[in-house]
Amino acid sequence: MWAGERIAFDDLPERIARTEQRATRDRLYLAYLEAVDRLNPLYERRLAEWTASGNPTEAAAKAGDDPRELAVSLERFSLISETPYYAALRRYLALIGIEQGDATEADLWHVVRGGEWDGWFGTRAVTAGLAAAGRPAADHGDTTGWRAAERQLAGGDAAPESVGAAAVGRAFATLVGSREWLVDELSVDPDQAIAFADFATFVRLWRLRRLIGQLMYELRLYSTDEAALQRAYHQGILSGVTGVLVSEAEYLIGLDGPLASATKIRSTLLAGMLVEVLEQRSGTQWWRDPASAQLVDRIGQATTREDVLAELGYDDLDWRPVLRQIRTRLIGEMSGYGGPNITTRAGTRKV
């Protein structure tokens, strides 16, 4: 119950994100965290079921998909992406009058919701944009707003049928941050398209960095049974990679399954690799090229990561395509941000 209104628990994060007044947002966020803490015994039982037969990390390693190797390979991405991420984070928090060191995850939810951009993403425009990209709107799904457009580009809320289909969905979802798709298919003003592409790319980078933090946390989560230590790991690691204070109360609620973060990261990297190949072969308007559709179809039918890599001409996962796409779409990166001033989590310093 909030101010006399009954709100479904699963709807609370969205309600928090669209709350404009910070004081009200903070109070609602604290109420949400209290509810999460009361539900944690349920999540703890679920965790016990996941680990009843052993450490999921060891099981994945024995199956030939060691998440620890993935985490090590992403260390350099995390390091290189830190400067543009923290520069963008400070820019967007400043727009709502908050300094980065004073921000909570609730403040970041409010920023990345991006409701002010939804005017460009009406149902008619989104439906036309989806059709141009060969992604018909799902039968049951919202097509109003940029996040709805992103979900529809990804194929809706239905779970992908294969590794290849997941990569294809995530690749199409990146079109929501493509200046060319925004201008050509949604008739967004070019200057506004550049600004929105910057925003969408910041959200994309935040999501990936948070997934990496989630993986780092999971690798520690399954190695101890001490709840206090698990909670501390969650708050410390996730706060460190996102640059805002993440509550320890949420140390179990965000887990979709054992090492689901690793699966999502791999799919995200494959999608970035696919987009790079499509752009190399067909240009930045690749969705209009029939040859792109053929490659997308072949990738979508691939049932293993190895098949996707072989089709794309890679030997292994590569995070560099994602980083290159981020660098070309962030305004700060394009304008030379980080030249005379270097911005990191510690602050801004002259060089």
Side-chain angles (χ1 to χ4, degrees), residues 163-333:
V163 172
V168 167
R170 289 180 182 268
F172 272 98
T174 67
L175 284 181
V176 81
S178 163
R179 295 184 296 278
E180 291 80 5
W181 185 76
L182 292 166
V183 172
D184 296 344
E185 312 301 354
L186 268 65
S187 299
V188 175
D189 177 86
D191 290 339
Q192 291 292 318
I194 291 175
F196 178 77
D198 173 80
F199 167 77
T201 302
F202 166 67
V203 175
R204 183 182 179 188
L205 180 55
W206 164 67
R207 288 171 177 167
L208 181 51
R209 285 181 64 89
R210 200 183 193 287
L211 278 175
I212 293 172
Q214 192 82 5
L215 174 59
M216 295 165 57
Y217 161 62
E218 283 198 76
L219 294 179
R220 290 161 177 78
L221 170 67
Y222 303 124
S223 64
T224 177
D225 294 327
E226 295 185 34
L229 191 56
Q230 293 169 339
R231 293 168 71 104
Y233 280 145
H234 179 267
Q235 184 174 61
I237 294 172
L238 272 296
S239 297
V241 298
T242 62
V244 296
L245 180 62
V246 176
S247 171
E248 65 174 31
E250 300 172 280
Y251 79 114
L252 295 177
I253 191 174
L255 302 179
D256 296 330
L259 297 168
S261 56
T263 301
K264 293 176 182 178
I265 290 170
R266 293 185 179 106
S267 181
T268 299
L269 298 185
L270 286 174
M273 295 159 69
L274 172 57
V275 169
E276 179 157 278
V277 170
L278 288 169
E279 290 185 344
Q280 288 173 347
R281 296 180 183 181
S282 303
T284 54
Q285 295 174 316
W286 54 264
W287 64 90
R288 292 184 169 184
D289 188 349
S292 294
Q294 296 175 10
L295 175 60
V296 165
D297 287 342
R298 293 197 300 272
I299 296 296
Q301 295 171 10
T303 57
T304 68
R305 187 165 71 248
E306 289 70 22
D307 289 341
V308 176
L309 291 172
E311 191 68 53
L312 295 177
Y314 284 85
D315 295 324
D316 204 350
L317 287 172
D318 190 348
W319 47 261
R320 290 174 296 179
V322 172
L323 184 64
R324 283 191 283 267
Q325 291 154 30
I326 288 170
R327 281 180 158 172
T328 58
R329 292 180 178 181
L330 274 180
I331 289 175
E333 286 287 287

Side-chain angles (χ1 to χ4, degrees), residues 6 50 58 122 129 136 152 196 245 286:
R6 186 181 299 276
W50 291 348
E58 299 297 337
Q152 294 282 0
F196 178 77
L245 180 62
W286 54 264

